[in-house]
Amino acid sequence: MPYRAPVSEIVFCLEKIVGYDRVAATERFSEATPETVAAMLTEAGRICEEVLAPLNRAGDLHPARLENGIVRTSPGFGDGWRAIAEAGFVALAADPDNGGLGMPMALTSGVNEMIASACLALQLAPLMSQGQIEALEHHASDELKAIYLPKLISGDWNATMNLTEPQAGSDVGALRTRAEPNGDGTYAITGQKIYISWGDNDFTENTVHLVLARLPGAPEGTRGISLFLVPKRLPDAAGNAGVANALKVVSLEHKMGLHGSPTCVMQYDGATGWMVGAEGGGMAAMFTMMNNARLGVGVHAFAVGEAAYQHALDYAAGRVQGRPMVAGGTGTILDHADVRRMLTGMRAELFAARAMSLDLAVAIDMAHATGDAAWAARAAFLTPIVKTYGSETGISVADTGIQVHGGMGFIEETGAAQFARDVRVTAIYEGTTGIQGMDLVGRKFADGGDAAFAILDEVAGTAEVAGNATLAETAEAVRAATQRMLALDLNDRFAGAVPFARAFALTLGGHYHLRAAMAEPGGPRARLAQSYLARQMAAVPGLLSEATAGAGDLYALSPDDLAA
């Protein structure tokens, strides 16, 4: 079935739920009026429907492949990349001084959602470029910025980030890649990196890698890591892609999904690179890119869920089976209560995930535009929640989409399975669900819970205005659980981190749904909110009980007991 870009849903969330007008009222984003944003979202939606969505199945059936050291991409992906680049969608938020449009992250997030829904395998390429552009803007020398940013922003070149090594997954500090000074301001980079999304392609002139490596004599762990820019082709005197650098794609990973996205094993053999940021400051510089990517991956995940939902709804509306269970039924499986339960839950959680991601994007924009530390704290706190809830929602919705199809969902030709295969990695990308949860109850609680309590105050305010006791009681229960979590030892917090993050996210979802209901009282949004608060948010008490239970029972079984 054809993909329908949810432009009106994104605009509604921006205007009625997350207060985008505050962003447009700042001097920095004064040109990004609501009218301009709506127009750009409409154009992005058109490109997604007409150009990108038809590529999704082709990428799955005709994966990227490595031929004689050259990555050959899926049919039509080059045309899709050019459509994205020519519309300016590779780097909407980039600095206009370097060729960007200077648009807010709220717009970027909406555009990224639709591109990911249309073809996630391709959308990973602009996401990597967006993150690298931001990292270079913040940390690179003026000389590097002048050469690389215009090319990355235009889409003539694409970008990657290289963190993981075979022996160093989430423990990045265990990496072994070396950087030897060449004596001329450059460095010789040697080592191997794995899981490099879009590490090469056959439609851009150059691929620019950001690589974490260790200088001679650097201390162990993350304090000894520096960041280096290493291009596939070395720029010539005019700044164009010149001779090949000493790096290569060793192989492409054989993945469960996202077959159209080449995930590369990269080998660096004394490749020429330039340091980005300070010596030993690699993780700080890379986190600029990673935080961008964490929002992006959360958006990617529920975006795939949106496509899976549309696919399932279309199937249910045409699948005639059983006898009508309600007066005036259609004779399709839409008449059945359980199918309605699945579809309503899918739609309700997708709305919550979309609103949450845009709430985070607005906080990022306001922090950048005003320099207000409160906005930055809000953005930092919401980041792991958005990444976790977006990922888990996308996975759950895609899985439920298969269930709506019944037996046909397990048949590859219907396309339902591809959504589940493609989205599954989002709970692993850019820090697993567990790592995000631990970040939330660890680093993000370093303020004593101030950021959490500020957001819960806002939720309680919505409940009071709406006169909704369910949300008010839930917000108070999350507040009490937060206080209990703060009193726990760190490992006891970690044991409950994932359920706590989900409980907080579901409560935020109730806040967004009630705001939607108040914006359009008595309509479909109000009815959807009623269902969400009664069903999805009903899980919060159990999640909070698990979150605050500590780790004792998890260690009651020995490794031998677990193996028995």
Side-chain angles (χ1 to χ4, degrees), residues 41-328:
L41 287 168
T42 299
E43 175 60 11
R46 182 193 66 77
I47 291 172
C48 290
E49 291 176 350
E50 297 177 4
V51 181
L52 303 182
L55 303 178
N56 196 48
R57 194 65 175 153
D60 192 53
L61 296 175
H62 305 285
R65 63 194 190 279
L66 185 62
E67 291 183 349
N68 300 318
I70 299 172
V71 171
R72 302 296 184 188
T73 55
S74 301
F77 272 40
D79 293 335
W81 172 265
R82 283 184 285 275
I84 294 168
E86 289 170 5
F89 295 151
V90 169
L92 283 165
D95 191 329
D97 289 344
N98 300 308
L101 296 178
M103 289 288 112
M105 183 57 67
L107 174 59
T108 295
S109 187
V111 171
N112 282 353
E113 177 196 334
M114 292 186 287
I115 297 175
S117 286
C119 186
L120 177 57
L122 180 57
Q123 212 290 320
L124 288 171
L127 180 71
M128 293 295 98
S129 290
Q130 289 163 15
Q132 187 175 120
I133 288 164
E134 185 173 9
L136 294 180
E137 285 181 342
H138 282 83
H139 302 287
S141 67
D142 290 342
E143 292 78 9
L144 289 179
K145 290 179 185 178
I147 294 171
Y148 288 91
L149 285 176
K151 297 286 191 180
L152 291 169
I153 290 168
S154 69
D156 291 338
W157 297 357
N158 74 296
T160 77
M161 61 176 172
N162 289 230
L163 290 79
T164 309
E165 298 180 8
Q167 81 294 338
S170 299
D171 182 12
V172 179
L175 66 81
R176 298 172 184 162
T177 298
R178 307 187 313 276
E180 300 279 349
N182 288 326
D184 61 357
T186 68
Y187 297 80
I189 311 300
T190 301
Q192 188 175 96
K193 299 288 185 177
I194 62 174
Y195 305 151
I196 310 306
S197 297
W198 284 99
D200 194 19
N201 66 80
D202 55 3
F203 52 72
T204 64
E205 299 169 359
N206 206 357
T207 297
V208 184
H209 305 280
L210 280 185
V211 183
L212 290 177
R214 197 180 301 280
L215 290 164
E220 295 300 314
T222 57
R223 292 186 301 111
I225 295 174
S226 301
L227 182 64
F228 300 88
L229 183 152
V230 188
K232 172 185 173 182
R233 294 189 175 277
L234 298 170
D236 61 20
N240 297 315
V243 299
N245 205 350
L247 59 87
K248 63 182 178 181
V249 178
V250 175
S251 62
L252 301 185
E253 304 288 1
H254 299 282
K255 299 174 297 185
M256 175 180 175
L258 292 177
H259 297 152
S261 170
T263 301
C264 303
V265 175
M266 300 296 305
Q267 181 67 39
Y268 298 88
D269 295 309
T272 300
W274 290 260
M275 188 180 293
V276 174
E279 181 177 329
M283 288 304 295
M286 186 63 89
F287 260 107
T288 303
M289 186 172 188
M290 288 176 67
N291 282 329
N292 178 300
R294 285 173 173 172
L295 166 59
V297 171
V299 170
H300 281 175
F302 79 75
V304 175
E306 172 67 34
Y309 167 73
Q310 292 186 18
H311 202 75
L313 178 61
D314 185 71
Y315 178 82
R319 174 60 167 160
V320 177
Q321 184 170 297
R323 60 185 179 85
M325 301 296 292
V326 291

Side-chain angles (χ1 to χ4, degrees), residues 248-550:
K248 63 182 178 181
V249 178
V250 175
S251 62
L252 301 185
E253 304 288 1
H254 299 282
K255 299 174 297 185
M256 175 180 175
L258 292 177
H259 297 152
S261 170
T263 301
C264 303
V265 175
M266 300 296 305
Q267 181 67 39
Y268 298 88
D269 295 309
T272 300
W274 290 260
M275 188 180 293
V276 174
E279 181 177 329
M283 288 304 295
M286 186 63 89
F287 260 107
T288 303
M289 186 172 188
M290 288 176 67
N291 282 329
N292 178 300
R294 285 173 173 172
L295 166 59
V297 171
V299 170
H300 281 175
F302 79 75
V304 175
E306 172 67 34
Y309 167 73
Q310 292 186 18
H311 202 75
L313 178 61
D314 185 71
Y315 178 82
R319 174 60 167 160
V320 177
Q321 184 170 297
R323 60 185 179 85
M325 301 296 292
V326 291
T330 64
T332 68
I333 61 174
L334 273 177
D335 292 341
H336 301 300
D338 189 58
V339 174
R340 286 293 183 97
R341 176 190 64 82
M342 289 189 285
L343 290 168
T344 301
M346 293 162 80
R347 183 172 179 82
E349 292 222 46
L350 288 169
F351 175 84
R354 177 179 293 116
M356 200 178 302
S357 71
L358 292 171
D359 193 356
L360 169 54
V362 164
I364 292 171
D365 290 330
M366 292 301 292
H368 288 164
T370 67
D372 188 333
W375 281 113
R378 180 185 180 90
F381 186 83
L382 285 175
T383 294
I385 297 176
V386 167
K387 200 300 185 164
T388 297
Y389 186 67
S391 297
E392 299 297 339
T393 295
I395 291 168
S396 173
V397 168
D399 183 69
T400 304
I402 293 175
Q403 194 71 15
V404 171
H405 281 76
M408 293 304 294
F410 203 65
I411 305 301
E412 284 287 352
E413 284 76 6
T414 64
Q418 182 187 343
F419 298 122
R421 289 188 287 100
D422 284 354
V423 76
R424 183 60 186 84
V425 74
T426 60
I428 300 169
Y429 270 159
E430 307 310 328
T432 64
T433 296
I435 286 173
Q436 301 302 321
M438 289 187 285
D439 177 49
L440 180 66
V441 303
R443 279 190 291 264
K444 300 309 189 294
F445 274 4
D447 64 354
D450 288 350
F453 296 139
I455 291 173
L456 289 171
D457 287 344
E458 189 177 322
V459 174
T462 296
E464 182 177 2
V465 172
N468 189 278
T470 301
L471 182 62
E473 292 167 2
T474 302
E476 188 55 36
V478 175
R479 182 186 299 275
T482 302
Q483 292 168 335
R484 292 197 296 275
M485 291 286 281
L486 286 164
L488 292 175
D489 292 337
L490 193 58
N491 203 46
D492 285 329
R493 284 192 216 169
F494 286 171
V498 169
F500 178 80
R502 179 158 181 79
F504 207 106
L506 288 171
T507 305
L508 274 174
H511 161 68
Y512 302 129
H513 271 287
L514 271 186
R515 288 181 64 87
M518 289 188 289
E520 294 184 1
R525 296 187 191 278
R527 295 192 288 275
L528 187 65
Q530 182 180 14
S531 178
Y532 179 92
L533 267 68
R535 294 179 180 274
Q536 279 68 45
M537 218 171 67
V540 171
L543 290 165
L544 294 178
S545 178
E546 181 184 1
T548 55

